[in-house]
């Protein structure tokens, strides 16, 4: 039975789609990332562009309930602000100054901020971000000159 001209385009679309899928299959297989069943955790220390001997942050930050992650974020902000204030005041951007021990910031956080609500944490973080923005030009200049930016 001959095909009508009306039915030909309808037959061409599915055939064309099948041909494209058949041609694309090997290409997709070549570019797909390799999947592994190896679930081994790599515990090698994280490598940074500068100052690889940074002090470990407090363990409670890694063990905190996700609903309270705002507390860890606030401590990180406070830690950076205190380090930047020291850099701006001393003119020193050594690794020890840029990444000091966490004890002082952690103590200040627990003493003054840990018991506050999430909204209060957010308000303090906004203030700290503004302080960081004000400090950045001078800290950046100091740290770039010393190769630690």
């Amino acid at each position: 039975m001959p095909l009508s001209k009306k039915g030909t385009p309808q037959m061409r679309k599915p055939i064309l789609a099948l041909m494209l899928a058949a041609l694309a299959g090997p290409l997709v297989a070549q570019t797909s990332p390799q999947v592994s069943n190896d679930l081994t955790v790599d515990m090698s220390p994280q490598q940074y562009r500068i100052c690889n001997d940074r002090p470990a942050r407090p363990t409670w930050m890694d063990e905190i309930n996700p609903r309270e992650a705002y507390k860890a974020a606030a401590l990180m902000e406070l830690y950076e602000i205190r380090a930047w204030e020291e850099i701006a005041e001393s003119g020193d951007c050594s690794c020890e100054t840029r990444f000091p021990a966490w004890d002082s910031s952690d103590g200040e956080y627990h003493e003054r901020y840990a018991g506050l609500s999430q909204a209060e944490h957010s308000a303090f973080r906004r203030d700290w971000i503004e302080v960081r923005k004000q400090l950045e030009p001078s800290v950046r200049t100091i740290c770039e000159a010393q190769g630690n930016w």
Side-chain angles (χ1 to χ4, degrees):
M1 201 184 247
L3 291 175
S4 69
K5 290 185 179 185
K6 192 174 183 182
T8 304
Q10 292 172 344
M11 292 292 288
R12 288 183 186 164
K13 288 180 184 176
I15 292 172
L16 183 60
L18 284 171
M19 287 175 46
L20 286 174
L23 292 172
L27 178 62
V28 170
Q30 290 174 1
T31 60
S32 296
Q34 296 298 316
V35 177
S36 170
N37 290 330
D38 181 14
L39 300 176
T40 306
V41 176
D42 181 12
M43 295 302 289
S44 60
Q46 183 172 353
Q47 295 295 305
Y48 301 97
R49 189 178 47 77
I50 59 165
C51 302
N52 278 304
D53 293 332
R54 299 176 186 191
R57 61 189 199 173
T59 55
W60 71 264
M61 292 175 70
D62 297 323
E63 298 168 352
I64 197 162
N65 182 311
R67 291 181 183 205
E68 294 185 328
Y70 64 91
K71 293 179 178 182
L75 175 55
M76 286 190 285
E77 196 72 49
L78 177 63
Y79 173 81
E80 185 171 51
I81 289 297
R82 295 301 179 241
W84 283 25
E85 288 172 339
E86 179 62 28
I87 292 167
E89 185 178 308
S90 69
D92 174 36
C93 190
S94 64
C95 291
E96 295 77 26
T97 306
R98 180 131 191 233
F99 301 101
W102 284 83
D103 299 342
S104 178
S105 296
D106 190 39
E108 179 182 352
Y109 173 79
H110 277 90
E111 192 175 300
R112 298 180 67 191
Y113 307 105
L116 300 178
S117 69
Q118 185 172 1
E120 291 168 314
H121 272 82
S122 295
F124 276 111
R125 285 192 63 212
R126 281 191 298 273
D127 293 344
W128 294 334
I129 288 168
E130 286 305 311
V131 170
R132 187 166 36 92
K133 285 179 183 177
Q134 292 170 6
L135 288 170
E136 191 201 348
S138 62
V139 170
R140 182 183 196 116
T141 300
I142 294 166
C143 292
E144 281 180 340
Q146 296 177 22
N148 274 340
W149 186 255

